[in-house]
């Protein structure tokens, strides 16, 4: 298609936009620094079964530009959709500049 704008996939700001799949996320580091960024939130549903017992859980994480998460590590928190999540480890770099940040939802927040 002539004249069509092709996204520059080297520019993460074009990939992770809140008017597409991303949403606003606030990460608060243990040292008090607050980071506001756009990230893609992922929470795939999982059901673990052992005999007749089962446990429903989600593997929460965000995907963001690594440059947006300087110094983030386990013990920091993230605010997503009004819910607080604990950061479970450092950002996991995928080699392209994007990172996956593992999270765990805090218990007792209500829905």
């Amino acid at each position: 298609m002539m004249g069509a704008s092709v996204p520059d996939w080297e520019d993460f700001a074009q990939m992770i936009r809140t008017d597409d799949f991303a949403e606003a996320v606030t990460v608060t580091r243990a040292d008090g620094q607050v980071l506001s960024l756009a990230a893609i939130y992922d929470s795939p549903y999982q059901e673990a079964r052992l005999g007749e017992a089962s446990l429903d859980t989600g593997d929460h994480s965000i995907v963001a530009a690594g440059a947006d998460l300087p110094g983030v590590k386990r013990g920091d928190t993230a605010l997503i959709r009004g819910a607080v999540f604990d950061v479970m480890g450092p950002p996991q770099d995928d080699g392209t500049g994007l990172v996956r940040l593992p999270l765990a939802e805090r218990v007792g927040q209500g829905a």
Side-chain angles (χ1 to χ4, degrees), residues 18-43:
T18 56
D19 58 344
D20 285 327
F21 299 109
E23 51 196 285
V25 173
T26 302
V27 174
T28 303
R29 295 187 347 191
D31 65 7
Q33 183 174 358
V34 176
L35 307 171
S36 297
L37 59 132
I40 299 170
Y41 173 64
D42 189 25
S43 178

Side-chain angles (χ1 to χ4, degrees), residues 21-94:
F21 299 109
E23 51 196 285
V25 173
T26 302
V27 174
T28 303
R29 295 187 347 191
D31 65 7
Q33 183 174 358
V34 176
L35 307 171
S36 297
L37 59 132
I40 299 170
Y41 173 64
D42 189 25
S43 178
Y45 171 78
Q46 297 176 351
E47 180 182 25
R49 297 185 70 69
L50 179 60
E52 293 192 21
S54 67
L55 174 67
D56 298 336
T57 184
D59 183 20
H60 303 280
S61 65
I62 58 171
V63 173
D68 290 343
L69 295 167
V72 173
K73 61 183 187 278
R74 182 179 182 98
D76 297 341
T77 60
L79 181 64
I80 306 166
R81 300 179 186 170
V84 177
F85 294 82
D86 290 312
V87 175
M88 301 306 294
Q92 302 164 349
D93 192 342
D94 72 356

